[in-house]
Amino acid sequence: MMLKAKTLGENMLEGSGATSDNSSQEKAWSSLWKIGVPSKVKVFLWRLARHSLSTTDVLHHRNMSYVSACPLCGADDSWRHALVSCTMARCVWALS
Ligand SMILES: [Zn+2]
């Protein structure tokens, strides 16, 4: 589900299929909003797809942070790093 939302967001950001695939994107977003999960999860997925999670690379790009490195481990930050590849994220996933 998260990868589907991310792929949808990446396609929107890249502009691929913006005209011919517009109805399928609307259908995908409609199906995302109809998923039976709390609205905060839907908003999180939407922000993930729109690349608007407040990771330090996004904050740095918006001139809201001096550094773009992960504050926990110092590696280059991104949504993928924050959710999957950061050592702290891996610890959280291991505990769940
Ligand atoms: Zn990290």
Side-chain angles (χ1 to χ4, degrees):
M1 179 170 61
M2 287 176 53
L3 288 177
K4 183 179 177 182
K6 179 63 182 164
T7 302
L8 179 63
E10 287 176 348
N11 289 341
M12 287 179 63
L13 291 174
E14 294 171 0
S16 61
T19 56
S20 62
D21 201 28
N22 199 18
S23 63
S24 65
Q25 284 186 5
E26 288 180 19
K27 195 173 185 178
W29 281 113
S30 295
S31 65
L32 175 67
W33 294 119
K34 291 178 184 174
I35 295 173
V37 295
S39 59
K40 63 183 176 183
V41 175
K42 295 175 190 177
V43 170
F44 175 80
L45 292 174
W46 179 80
R47 291 187 68 191
L48 177 64
R50 300 290 300 175
H51 195 67
S52 67
L53 291 176
S54 60
T55 55
T56 53
D57 66 327
V58 172
L59 296 175
H60 181 71
H61 179 72
R62 296 178 181 171
N63 295 321
M64 298 170 71
S65 174
Y66 293 113
V67 295
S68 61
C70 173
L72 299 173
C73 69
D76 289 337
D77 203 6
S78 67
W79 69 267
R80 184 181 305 270
H81 175 80
L83 295 176
V84 178
S85 61
C86 182
T87 54
M88 291 303 291
R90 288 182 185 188
C91 290
V92 171
W93 286 115
L95 291 173
S96 64

